[in-house]
Amino acid sequence: MEKELITVVVPCFNEQEVLPLFHEEILRVSDGMTEAHPQLEFEFLFINDGSRDGTLDILRKYSAEDSRFRYVSFSRNFGKEAAMLAGMEHSKGDYVVIMDADLQHPPKLMPQMYEYVSSGEYDCAATRRVSRKGEPKLLSFFSRSFYKVINKISQTQIVDGAQDYRFMTRQMVNAILDMPEYNRFSKGIFSWVGFRTKYIEVENTERAAGKTTWNFWKLLMYSFEGITAFSTFPLAFSVIFSILLFIAALVLMIFAIAELSEALAVMCLICFVGGLQLFCMGIMGQYLAKTYMEVKRRPKYLIGETEETNRKER
Ligand code: UDP
Ligand code: MG
């Protein structure tokens, strides 16, 4: 019987509290799957994204106990995007699953995802949040608006509520790895590469332990990343505004001819034009900054240690 390897990729940043729970749960689920499908084999690939707690020690221990547990440890924190990329790059599986360590992406959905993908009907199974329960109202509002805006101005459609919990075929993973960009916005990348994706609708799950590192500001910056990575529409702002300005100038000219509060009109105009120029320059600056980072071709992450280097040292 031909073996099928599933790589479970888990980005970890300061997850010492939740890792033991995750470990237990992932073993329970994967054992169940190998029982039902004897051809299945697993490898568990943890990416330690520069944790400052005992995460790395726990990962070392797991890999010493069980050779199916592997890890890649970054030299510092590079962010979840880099961690997911490193996971895919180091994965050996015929299938790759990406899931969070905090059990917000329930491992128990994995058998169902496997069924969808192994049937050949889909190349990817992902979860989609249908409720935003337990999330601050303001945050929900901004998230919804973000999806509306990006889907209007970008050709790449991003599904509202789609999560990074994904079960993918090797083909799809290779397609994602073919995208060399530095500014990685996975939600967009997953969608850009195409392939047939089955969305499984889930309720929001609370973190099992530990705490999130995301806050409003980080999410706002991340959504900006998404817009600039998948749309150049904001660059067209200056053109649109300049047309509006031309019309405004015409109207003002009529007012000026009619001699209605000249001074005020001039002042308004100065503020308006000045602000607008700065705004458009700001947008251009953002794209320039992104281009600058891409052109530098810096590595997207650096590895401090892996389970292989660790084994050699001992
Ligand atoms: N994570 C990471 N690097 C970071 C931040 C987070 O690898 O810089 C990991 C984290 O360990 C977790 C996943 O990404 O497994 C999701 O993070 P978190 O639970 O903090 O985000 P949330 O679920 O609140 O969106
Ligand atoms: Mg989480």
Side-chain angles (χ1 to χ4, degrees):
M1 193 177 6
E2 208 171 321
K3 292 278 180 197
E4 281 182 340
L5 181 67
I6 298 182
T7 304
V8 180
V9 169
V10 192
C12 302
F13 177 56
N14 296 343
E15 299 287 11
Q16 65 175 11
E17 274 158 60
V18 88
L19 273 176
L21 302 172
F22 180 83
H23 183 251
E24 198 188 307
E25 178 66 8
I26 196 74
L27 281 179
R28 193 184 65 79
V29 173
S30 58
D31 286 350
M33 284 176 77
T34 37
E35 231 162 72
H37 309 277
Q39 81 278 17
L40 285 184
E41 279 179 349
F42 279 88
E43 85 176 337
F44 307 101
L45 179 54
F46 293 83
I47 314 299
N48 173 36
D49 184 14
S51 299
R52 286 178 280 271
D53 63 357
T55 299
L56 181 57
D57 290 327
I58 299 176
L59 297 181
R60 283 189 187 126
K61 193 180 89 170
Y62 290 162
S63 76
E65 284 167 3
D66 183 340
S67 63
R68 291 177 302 168
F69 282 81
R70 299 172 54 209
Y71 67 84
V72 168
S73 180
F74 288 175
S75 60
R76 62 169 170 83
N77 181 258
F78 281 89
K80 189 186 173 189
E81 288 291 343
M84 292 197 287
L85 177 69
M88 286 188 268
E89 281 183 346
H90 288 80
S91 69
K92 296 176 185 158
D94 304 301
Y95 299 104
V96 176
V97 201
I98 304 179
M99 63 172 86
D100 286 1
D102 58 11
L103 297 173
Q104 274 184 310
H105 295 165
K108 65 169 186 282
L109 289 178
M110 218 168 38
Q112 196 188 347
M113 293 174 132
Y114 172 72
E115 295 302 332
Y116 280 124
V117 177
S118 65
S119 73
E121 205 177 324
Y122 295 99
D123 304 288
C124 171
T127 53
R128 192 170 86 85
R129 276 202 307 190
V130 283
S131 83
R132 293 185 173 274
K133 253 198 321 229
E135 195 184 67
K137 284 247 154 48
L138 191 69
L139 196 64
S140 299
F141 170 75
F142 274 104
S143 302
R144 289 228 171 79
S145 315
F146 165 70
Y147 285 109
K148 272 196 202 121
V149 169
I150 194 155
N151 284 332
K152 273 250 159 61
I153 65 175
S154 158
Q155 251 112 55
T156 309
Q157 291 296 305
I158 296 173
V159 178
D160 186 358
Q163 296 177 309
D164 294 338
Y165 187 8
R166 281 178 186 255
F167 193 115
M168 293 173 281
T169 57
R170 170 55 45 191
Q171 244 178 334
M172 180 162 172
V173 171
N174 286 345
I176 292 169
L177 293 179
D178 272 341
M179 297 181 74
E181 58 216 79
Y182 182 87
N183 295 292
R184 296 187 82 81
F185 182 71
S186 279
K187 286 186 203 308
I189 291 177
F190 286 140
S191 152
W192 191 90
V193 293
F195 294 97
R196 297 156 302 170
T197 303
K198 169 74 190 173
Y199 285 101
I200 301 170
E201 303 197 339
V202 294
E203 291 286 319
N204 206 7
T205 332
E206 300 267 312
R207 212 171 212 288
K211 59 177 192 288
T212 178
T213 51
W214 290 94
N215 54 36
F216 181 74
W217 187 246
K218 266 174 111 174
L219 281 171
L220 190 70
M221 288 290 120
Y222 188 60
S223 60
F224 200 82
E225 190 81 30
I227 289 174
T228 52
F230 283 91
S231 166
T232 47
F233 178 78
L235 284 172
F237 267 12
S238 30
V239 180
I240 294 167
F241 272 119
S242 61
I243 293 168
L244 289 178
L245 247 154
F246 181 66
I247 296 167
L250 263 178
V251 173
L252 274 163
M253 212 176 347
I254 295 165
F255 270 90
I257 289 167
E259 273 179 322
L260 272 170
S261 180
E262 260 173 46
L264 202 70
V266 171
M267 262 159 68
C268 281
L269 203 64
I270 289 171
C271 289
F272 185 63
V273 173
L276 202 69
Q277 278 179 337
L278 280 180
F279 180 73
C280 293
M281 260 164 68
I283 292 176
M284 282 200 254
Q286 285 302 318
Y287 281 93
L288 184 67
K290 301 283 169 201
T291 314
Y292 179 58
M293 290 311 287
E294 296 289 353
V295 164
K296 275 193 201 216
R297 301 211 163 272
R298 281 202 180 146
K300 289 155 200 124
Y301 56 86
L302 293 169
I303 297 174
E305 150 184 351
T306 69
E307 87 284 345
E308 273 168 37
T309 61
N310 192 30
R311 217 172 282 142
K312 272 184 215 130
E313 274 163 29
R314 267 185 294 152

